[in-house]
């Protein structure tokens, strides 16, 4: 629809870290750098890995933990190098149907929350069932990109 899309994602591996007790903005900063060091070679194979998009952040209602993740590039999906930082881990996300709402501009935690609420209202009004206790933010652009930015919020279909 013009308000959202329903995508089917296949099972895939992501490299992730959880940041506790910080604001979402600070958690994203800390998490990004931990994951960036992993792709720059802070892994068992000391292998540089291409940066991928999106960078996601799991937001759970009433929880101060934020899970920040990078998608593992296709060529490393079968056997991604293991992280050497104990705070960084490889996770496999199962195939899922995901409701996605896209928006432009520079996304703040408040903007992501507003867009997630808009998406949740639309889905409820259309009788769609989804996991309402969490959502993901997805960012696709470098902080240096000024125009035509692409951001998303994701709710998983039940």
């Amino acid at each position: 629809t013009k308000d959202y899309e329903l995508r089917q994602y296949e099972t895939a591996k992501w490299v992730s870290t959880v940041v506790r007790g910080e604001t979402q903005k600070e958690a994203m900063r800390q998490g990004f750098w931990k994951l960036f060091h992993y792709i720059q070679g802070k892994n068992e194979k000391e292998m540089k890995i291409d940066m991928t998009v999106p960078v996601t952040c799991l937001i759970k209602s009433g929880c101060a933990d934020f899970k920040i993740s990078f998608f593992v590039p296709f060529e490393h999906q079968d056997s991604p190098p293991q992280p050497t930082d104990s705070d960084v881990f490889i996770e496999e996300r199962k195939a899922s149907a995901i409701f996605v709402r896209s928006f432009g501009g520079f996304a703040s935690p408040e903007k992501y929350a507003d867009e997630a609420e808009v998406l949740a209202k639309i889905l409820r009004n259309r009788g769609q069932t989804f996991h309402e206790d969490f959502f993901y933010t997805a960012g696709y652009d470098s902080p240096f990109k000024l125009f035509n930015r692409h951001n998303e919020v994701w709710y998983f279909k039940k």
Side-chain angles (χ1 to χ4, degrees), residues 18-109:
V18 174
V19 178
R20 293 178 172 84
E22 297 288 354
T23 63
Q24 183 180 341
K25 187 172 186 167
E26 178 59 18
M28 282 294 294
R29 189 189 70 73
Q30 287 183 24
F32 177 90
W33 285 109
K34 281 183 181 286
L35 299 174
F36 187 76
H37 292 309
Y38 166 82
I39 66 170
Q40 287 298 302
K42 194 173 179 184
N43 56 64
E44 284 183 349
K45 296 181 183 169
E46 296 183 352
M47 176 188 293
K48 281 196 171 204
I49 300 168
D50 289 339
M51 176 78 198
T52 59
V53 291
V55 175
T56 65
C57 181
L58 173 62
I59 311 289
K60 293 182 192 170
S61 319
C63 182
D65 295 354
F66 299 98
K67 182 170 66 175
I68 296 89
S69 306
F70 289 1
F71 179 77
V72 172
F74 292 109
E75 63 267 24
H76 299 292
Q77 279 287 316
D78 289 339
S79 61
Q82 287 305 303
T84 53
D85 180 339
S86 61
D87 291 340
V88 177
F89 56 95
I90 304 293
E91 66 169 322
E92 184 172 89
R93 294 187 194 166
K94 299 295 179 208
S96 303
I98 301 176
F99 294 107
V100 178
R101 180 170 172 83
S102 300
F103 60 98
F106 279 90
S108 63

